[in-house]
């Protein structure tokens, strides 16, 4: 029989190993004990140890009390992790009592762990039935944010942490008014329950939705749904590894709790069954169109994130992904620290990638240095051609060459790379200068120079500043953007073969604009605007356009006119010296060159700079997007000529 001293000694050994208090209550509830802030003890091995928090009860204070324990990751007891948004301007405005002393944390983290505590301690909760006591990993508590070296090393094992966690609690945010989260939860459940009664082949009107048990479009619950999907959590870069690697994700929105796959399925139904036209996207006049667009974007972003999860655990079987592909698929996401646009993806990348790129949050390691390192790595691994579409002098990274991709603030939206195949089936050839890694040589063809770029029409309060009645304004916009400069009218007919094909060119250029501006501009994607309406709209445009005709055309092409109002954002319509029409970066100048780089899906605009070139940015030129100018080449060696165009090496600086 063991003595009391032996029992006590064994208990002390376990508690000291994991640094956890035995009492379920805080041992230091007095105000005096809370005057000294909590101080972290250094981790002995930051790459193999983690800190886990547990919730404890407090007899006398209203503050949240936690204990923080250190464990070896390989020997860690069952634990959960929390996913949340840090917020746009996070400040340490809240505090918790950690191991008896105050620890300052952000408002969003405080809300997140408070909700998690409420969920796991509910009498009927099953979320923590396997954890006794319940242990949680929360980045801003589990990692000493003041210790840069610890942050650097802990971020290298984040992938293992989320993979090993029994589940991830995703704190999405708070409703506008208390109780609205339950309206959203009820609507999600009703849609999932009655989806089999909806129709994909016809418009699901408010009346029809009500007959199948789904709230009408006017029901306030749809506004709660819109607010739910407007939360910044959906747009975070960090949710990619958090969602992809997690075994199970439980969402928390206010007091409502459900599994993430329910939200994914709900979003899929919104997109597939046209519920949005009467539900989420309905009543633009009564709800913020900006919120509507943001909600739609986040629904789509969630679908892409879930697709990545399925691929990771399905066809990829947990295999790492290429950094270039990860950067491409996360290009429209946001992070508090711009360096996280790269670092957050390392958990999903290969060991080779993590060997070349390591998190470094020191002040001396600038955003420019991180982005150049990522771009250089993609070039050396043969994947650099795809990230050029995020580079150029239109979106410069200060202190880097023009070919380094910028992942911050994608205001001027880049061209979609699919389904274009501008360079046909050619393979990319690109390499860095051994003596100067600021110089990148790419192989390609100089197509034509740019002769005319449409000037930017001045804005006033967000609208085009044109005089006259609405019909005249709209008519002038159409003529300005689509009829083209008089000097190109005849040339386009010759370049494209007929007036009919020249009109097709104008349509496809507008279509590129629609897709280009969809994310940031309140306009509907091109596939929702019928081609015949466009042709009718253009054919009826004249200076004598009547108000009645305008009303008819506006009804037929409402989204078309909205797009024309916002069409200039970050891009310009223009023509080459051969009268090919296209969409070009906003900084494009007359005399810049259109180039087709081997292996690229898009053409690029280059600006001569001595014997070298500055990358201006990606473009869309109707008539060369499907490999038309590459068909005459038998091989792609330097000096090969076809149709008067030569394969050459072009050095970007």
């Amino acid at each position: 029989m063991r003595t009391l001293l032996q029992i006590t000694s064994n208990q002390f050994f376990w508690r000291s190993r994991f640094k956890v208090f035995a009492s379920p209550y805080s041992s230091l509830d007095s105000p005096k004990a809370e005057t000294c802030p909590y101080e972290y003890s250094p981790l002995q091995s930051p790459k193999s140890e983690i800190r886990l928090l547990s919730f404890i009860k407090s007899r006398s204070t209203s503050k949240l009390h936690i204990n923080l324990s250190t464990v070896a990751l390989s020997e860690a007891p069952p634990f959960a992790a929390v996913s949340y948004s840090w917020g746009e301007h996070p400040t340490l405005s809240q505090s918790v009592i950690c191991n008896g002393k105050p620890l300052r944390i952000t408002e969003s983290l405080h809300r997140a762990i408070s909700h998690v505590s409420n969920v796991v301690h509910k009498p009927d909760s099953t979320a923590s039935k396997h954890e006794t006591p319940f242990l949680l990993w929360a980045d801003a508590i589990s990692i000493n944010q003041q210790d840069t070296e610890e942050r650097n090393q802990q971020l290298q094992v984040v992938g293992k942490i989320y993979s090993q966690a029994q589940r991830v609690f995703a704190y999405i945010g708070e409703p506008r008014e208390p109780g609205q989260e339950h309206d959203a939860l009820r609507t999600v459940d009703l849609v999932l329950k009655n989806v089999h009664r909806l129709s994909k082949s016809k418009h699901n009107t408010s009346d029809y939705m009500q007959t199948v048990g789904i709230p009408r479009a006017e029901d306030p619950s749809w506004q709660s749904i819109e607010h739910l999907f407007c939360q910044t959590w959906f747009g975070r870069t960090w949710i990619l590894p958090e969602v992809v690697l997690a075994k199970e994700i439980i969402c928390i929105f206010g007091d409502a709790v459900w599994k993430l796959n329910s939200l994914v399925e709900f979003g899929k139904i919104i997109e597939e069954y046209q519920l949005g036209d009467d539900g989420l996207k309905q009543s633009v006049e009564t709800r913020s169109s900006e919120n509507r667009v943001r909600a739609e974007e986040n629904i789509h972003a969630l679908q892409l994130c879930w697709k990545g999860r399925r691929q990771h655990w399905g066809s990829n079987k947990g295999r790492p992904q290429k950094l270039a592909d990860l950067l491409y698929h996360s290009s429209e996401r946001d992070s508090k620290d711009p360096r996280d646009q790269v670092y957050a993806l390392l958990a999903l990348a290969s060991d080779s990638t993590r060997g070349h790129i390591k998190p470094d949050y020191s002040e001396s390691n600038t955003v420019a240095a991180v982005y150049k390192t990522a771009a250089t790595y993609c070039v050396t691994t043969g994947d650099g051609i795809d990230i050029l579409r995020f580079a150029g002098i239109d979106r410069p990274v200060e202190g880097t060459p023009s070919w380094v991709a910028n992942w911050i603030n994608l205001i001027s939206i880049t061209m979609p790379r699919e389904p274009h195949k501008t360079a046909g089936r050619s393979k990319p050839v690109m390499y860095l200068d051994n003596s100067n890694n600021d110089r990148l040589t790419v192989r390609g063809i100089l197509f034509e120079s740019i002769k005319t770029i449409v000037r930017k029409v001045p804005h006033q309060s967000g609208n085009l500043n044109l005089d006259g009645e609405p019909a005249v304004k709209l008519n002038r916009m159409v003529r300005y953007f689509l009829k083209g400069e008089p000097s190109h009218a005849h040339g386009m007919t010759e370049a494209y073969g007929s007036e009919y094909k020249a009109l097709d060119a104008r349509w496809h250029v507008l279509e590129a604009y629609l897709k280009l501006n969809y994310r940031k501009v309140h306009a509907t994607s091109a596939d929702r605007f019928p081609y015949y309406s466009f042709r009718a709209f253009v054919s009826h445009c004249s200076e004598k356009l009547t108000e009645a005709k305008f009303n008819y055309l506006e009804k037929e092409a409402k989204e078309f006119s909205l797009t024309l109002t916002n069409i200039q954002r970050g891009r310009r319509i223009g023509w080459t010296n051969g009268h090919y029409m296209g969409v070009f970066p906003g900084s494009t100048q007359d005399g810049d060159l259109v180039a087709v780089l081997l292996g690229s899906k898009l053409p690029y605009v280059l600006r001569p700079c001595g014997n070298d070139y500055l990358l201006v940015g990606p473009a869309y030129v109707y008539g060369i997007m499907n490999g038309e100018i590459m068909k005459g080449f038998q091989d792609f060696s330097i000096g090969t000529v076809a149709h008067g165009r030569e394969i050459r090496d072009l050095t970007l600086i």
Side-chain angles (χ1 to χ4, degrees), residues 473-484:
K473 291 182 182 181
L474 188 56
N475 171 53
R476 287 180 180 174
M477 286 193 294
V478 172
R479 292 175 63 83
Y480 190 82
F481 286 111
L482 299 176
K483 286 292 185 181

Side-chain angles (χ1 to χ4, degrees), residues 442-453:
V442 293
R443 189 163 298 176
I445 300 168
L446 294 177
F447 173 57
E448 290 183 356
S449 64
I450 295 171
K451 185 176 182 180
T452 306
I453 287 291

